[in-house]
Amino acid sequence: MDFKWWQECVFYEIYMPSFMDGNDDGIGDFKGITTKLEYLKELGVKGIWLTPFYKSPKIDNGYDIADYYAIDSDYGNLDDFKVFIDKAHNLGIKVIIDIVLNHTSSQHEWFIESSSSKDNDKRDYYIWKSDKPNNWESFFGGDSWEFDEKTNEYYYHAFAKEQVDLNWQNPKVYDAMKEVFKYWIELGVDGFRFDVINFLTVNDNFNMNNPYDKNGEQLHINDKDQDGIIDLIKRLVRDIRHMKKDIFLVGEVGSENLNELKEYTGKGLLDVVFNFNLGSIKEFSLKKIYKEISLMDKVYNKDQIPTLFFNSHDMGRSISRFNPDGKRNGIESAMAVLLLTSYGVPFMYFGEEIGIRDLVCSKIENMNDIQGITKYNLEIEKGNSKEVALKSANISSRDKSRGIMQWNNSKYYGFSNSKPWINIEDKVYNVSVETLEQDRNSLIYLYKELIQLRYNIPCLLYGKYKNIAMEKDILIFEREYKSEIIRVVINFGEKEYIEEFEGDVLMTSLKNSRKIVLNRFDFIILYRKE
């Protein structure tokens, strides 16, 4: 079988402003990331995913792009990017970058021209209507139609009003985006992660209202997964692969339906898509995890490969979600084992390897994320108290996972010599790379060992599931490749579990591997040949 290079990688997502500051302005940048590439190499990372670094007013922290060809000055310049990507490649690390096709910033030159008059050549780059055609709401809350006083028409925005949706019915938009891909491919990028790719507006059917659930929350039915989106993606994938055959294409598809997700991946489509049903579960549930892993194995075709992740920039950190009250200490190790031994392409998120916890704001003034701030304002408009509004805002806010990387326990955690761009006064857990690297039994060493084990054992890279089982609070699965079988047993329960096995012990949390009695969050990885 012809395996792809990305099947042999553990990917590591870097949230650009929060990883490492190289010029001491309090904002992470390419110079800072470049100084930490050896750290990532030692960790075992073979692929980096960068969140947006393009010129942007940062209404949504860079997902509102004002210029697809320019590096935002907060992150450096083009020369800094070139130094970064050259060094990454020299260290054997591939680089994939976020790309937002659904919308641009309202400060993008296309929208500035489009909004200048109804007769402008770029008017149809965006979606304009003389009257609001439907009841669609923004995914951030509030109306998705914004009135423009200059031209007396409404424009459509699925997210913030400063994030204006592109009109993908216009072939000029498609051609313009092809040039963007060509530019970054020629600069050496190895892949793209498509943000909210299934939200693209590809037809003119705006006369259908969205329904509401029993709680009065709008169900986004007609403003995503529109007829024609799959054909557009097929065309886009084909054209990008003509530029670079082995490019890695990752999709963020906003859906909780696995049967919908699978429509976007496979032959002629995206290489992989994120399954948020698994990755973003709000609280720990072995039953839910088992269900999603089993379902992916059942539903996906042979040419479809799942993604594995439990953290990203859009959700609270898994260590906080799964152990909110400190009663499940050790679950982070068990989840690391699950992430790095399951079938699929694993994506880590920066700081996961040291157990960074959620950043929860003590006051609204400390919050940066527009999603959280919008939620706060909506709660206040409803008449709720500031306390209730703040609690709701913290639940919605994505600041939780966007706090700075903790390299050491100095004033600014070794991230910068200046005050960071994001609130740090609410940080309460002071773990750091420096302290954990002094302890061979720490979480960071577990990640290193698991990653190397994954690379060293072909069955952990390519082997599909032979069986998956859940016995009360025990997760057991076997993967098979050629004559190799890997058996993984993880105890998520409070009662001990005795494993009867045949084969060699590759790795275990047990001090004495001769007697296989697994207590809470213990694991064992076994190997045998048939």
Side-chain angles (χ1 to χ4, degrees):
M1 183 176 287
D2 182 25
F3 294 109
K4 309 295 186 182
W5 63 263
W6 43 265
Q7 290 179 260
E8 300 171 353
C9 290
V10 172
F11 286 88
Y12 188 97
E13 181 191 356
I14 292 177
Y15 191 67
M16 283 294 303
S18 298
F19 189 64
M20 184 64 195
D21 176 15
N23 64 355
D24 286 334
D25 64 353
I27 305 170
D29 49 36
F30 280 113
K31 285 184 178 179
I33 297 172
T34 302
T35 66
K36 295 298 183 181
L37 286 173
E38 285 90 353
Y39 165 81
L40 296 175
K41 172 74 173 180
E42 184 181 345
L43 184 61
V45 169
K46 288 189 178 180
I48 292 172
W49 157 24
L50 297 175
T51 56
F53 50 78
Y54 315 93
K55 182 180 178 181
S56 169
K58 301 185 191 66
I59 296 298
D60 189 17
N61 284 343
Y63 285 88
D64 48 324
I65 298 173
D67 187 342
Y68 287 95
Y69 295 95
I71 305 286
D72 193 284
S73 59
D74 281 344
Y75 306 135
N77 55 42
L78 189 57
D79 287 337
D80 295 334
F81 174 83
K82 290 177 178 178
V83 170
F84 154 75
I85 200 165
D86 285 346
K87 185 172 181 180
H89 286 162
N90 288 336
L91 290 171
I93 299 174
K94 302 279 191 178
V95 177
I96 69 172
I97 64 175
D98 240 319
I99 189 81
V100 185
L101 304 183
N102 183 68
H103 50 262
T104 72
S105 165
S106 56
Q107 295 184 25
H108 195 291
E109 63 176 16
W110 296 346
F111 187 72
I112 293 172
E113 290 186 44
S114 179
S115 59
S116 65
S117 79
K118 294 180 182 179
D119 299 323
N120 189 274
D121 288 343
K122 289 193 170 55
R123 185 66 171 181
D124 288 339
Y125 270 49
Y126 299 89
I127 300 156
W128 294 92
K129 299 293 178 183
S130 57
D131 295 299
K132 289 195 285 187
N134 53 48
N135 69 341
W136 295 359
E137 295 179 2
S138 161
F139 286 84
F140 286 166
D143 202 332
S144 66
W145 295 97
E146 182 73 12
F147 186 69
D148 173 55
E149 294 183 354
K150 187 172 186 179
T151 59
N152 290 315
E153 286 194 335
Y154 293 86
Y155 67 81
Y156 175 60
H157 60 94
F159 295 92
K161 68 179 187 295
E162 297 88 354
Q163 294 170 286
V164 193
D165 276 48
L166 286 162
N167 177 17
W168 279 87
Q169 297 173 87
N170 185 346
K172 291 181 180 179
V173 170
Y174 186 94
D175 292 340
M177 283 303 183
K178 271 181 63 177
E179 292 302 309
V180 171
F181 285 114
K182 181 181 178 183
Y183 177 78
W184 290 106
I185 287 171
E186 289 178 350
L187 283 171
V189 302
D190 303 291
F192 297 96
R193 180 261 190 189
F194 298 104
D195 187 62
V196 293
I197 189 64
N198 63 319
F199 291 9
L200 301 190
T201 303
V202 295
N203 63 50
D204 200 35
N205 185 14
F206 289 98
N207 59 356
M208 299 285 288
N209 284 336
N210 280 331
Y212 293 86
D213 65 16
K214 61 183 180 181
N215 298 317
E217 297 288 333
Q218 186 166 107
L219 301 174
H220 293 277
I221 303 297
N222 300 302
D223 48 0
K224 65 183 183 70
D225 301 303
Q226 294 182 349
D227 290 342
I229 183 65
I230 298 298
D231 289 337
L232 176 70
I233 290 175
K234 285 181 178 178
R235 181 184 172 202
L236 197 59
V237 167
R238 182 193 67 223
D239 288 343
I240 295 172
R241 292 209 188 283
H242 282 164
M243 302 177 200
K244 187 170 184 176
K245 187 177 181 180
D246 67 343
I247 196 130
F248 183 36
L249 302 177
V250 183
E252 180 198 26
V253 177
S255 175
E256 296 180 357
N257 187 330
L258 192 58
N259 285 308
E260 291 179 1
L261 289 175
K262 68 172 291 190
E263 295 300 316
Y264 289 85
T265 181
K267 188 174 182 180
L269 291 162
L270 303 175
D271 291 311
V272 297
V273 296
F274 290 131
N275 178 9
F276 290 95
N277 285 339
L278 174 66
S280 62
I281 54 176
K282 294 181 179 179
E283 58 186 18
F284 179 77
S285 167
L286 182 58
K287 184 177 180 180
K288 175 72 170 173
I289 290 171
Y290 167 73
K291 175 186 173 183
E292 289 301 324
I293 291 176
S294 301
L295 195 59
M296 287 190 293
D297 187 51
K298 179 181 179 181
V299 171
Y300 274 9
N301 299 324
K302 289 183 178 180
D303 62 343
Q304 296 175 315
I305 300 174
T307 51
L308 305 165
F309 69 100
F310 294 99
N311 292 276
S312 83
H313 64 281
D314 277 337
M315 65 186 76
R317 290 183 175 272
S318 63
I319 192 171
S320 294
R321 302 198 319 268
F322 298 164
N323 186 20
D325 53 10
K327 294 180 180 178
R328 289 198 185 99
N329 291 333
I331 195 171
E332 65 275 13
S333 298
M335 294 307 298
V337 176
L338 179 60
L339 174 76
L340 293 164
T341 60
S342 298
Y343 174 62
V345 182
F347 286 81
M348 295 172 58
Y349 182 58
F350 85 94
E352 174 181 333
E353 71 276 18
I354 60 171
I356 291 180
R357 292 179 178 267
D358 279 354
L359 175 64
V360 180
C361 296
S362 60
K363 52 188 176 181
I364 194 63
E365 291 78 11
N366 287 354
M367 194 170 288
N368 286 268
D369 181 36
I370 187 172
Q371 186 166 295
I373 294 169
T374 298
K375 186 67 173 178
Y376 179 89
N377 292 332
L378 288 172
E379 293 295 326
I380 294 294
E381 288 175 11
K382 290 178 183 177
N384 288 320
S385 68
K386 291 182 179 180
E387 291 76 16
V388 170
L390 180 61
K391 183 177 180 180
S392 184
N394 269 312
I395 292 171
S396 295
S397 174
R398 296 164 298 178
D399 283 352
K400 293 192 289 290
S401 60
R402 296 178 178 183
I404 59 171
M405 181 63 170
Q406 296 168 201
W407 297 102
N408 59 43
N409 287 327
S410 62
K411 182 178 181 181
Y412 299 130
Y413 298 94
F415 165 77
S416 178
N417 289 318
S418 300
K419 185 178 179 180
W421 71 279
I422 194 169
N423 158 40
I424 62 168
E425 68 180 69
D426 292 323
K427 275 185 172 290
V428 293
Y429 296 98
N430 293 327
V431 296
S432 71
V433 172
E434 183 178 80
T435 53
L436 265 64
E437 284 188 333
Q438 297 172 18
D439 180 3
R440 296 290 301 186
N441 295 316
S442 66
L443 186 63
I444 194 170
Y445 278 103
L446 176 63
Y447 270 90
K448 288 180 181 181
E449 291 174 26
L450 285 166
I451 292 171
Q452 287 307 313
L453 183 67
R454 186 177 182 90
Y455 293 153
N456 292 339
I457 306 295
C459 190
L460 285 174
L461 291 174
Y462 317 119
K464 294 193 175 183
Y465 292 114
K466 183 178 181 183
N467 55 64
I468 311 168
M470 184 180 74
E471 299 180 9
K472 294 185 178 179
D473 293 319
I474 315 298
L475 182 66
I476 304 169
F477 57 84
E478 291 186 338
R479 295 176 58 193
E480 185 174 24
Y481 177 68
K482 295 183 176 178
S483 61
E484 294 181 338
I485 293 178
I486 296 292
R487 179 176 172 88
V488 178
V489 184
I490 310 173
N491 185 354
F492 287 98
E494 296 183 2
K495 295 182 179 179
E496 68 176 29
Y497 174 80
I498 299 175
E499 164 67 8
E500 297 180 1
F501 74 100
E502 51 183 287
D504 300 322
V505 177
L506 291 178
M507 190 173 172
T508 182
S509 56
L510 303 176
K511 303 300 181 184
N512 179 5
S513 60
R514 292 180 181 178
K515 184 181 180 183
I516 309 302
V517 179
L518 278 67
N519 291 301
R520 197 178 200 195
F521 304 132
D522 277 337
F523 68 89
I524 189 166
I525 305 169
L526 304 162
Y527 171 91
R528 73 177 187 271
K529 280 198 170 187
E530 285 197 340

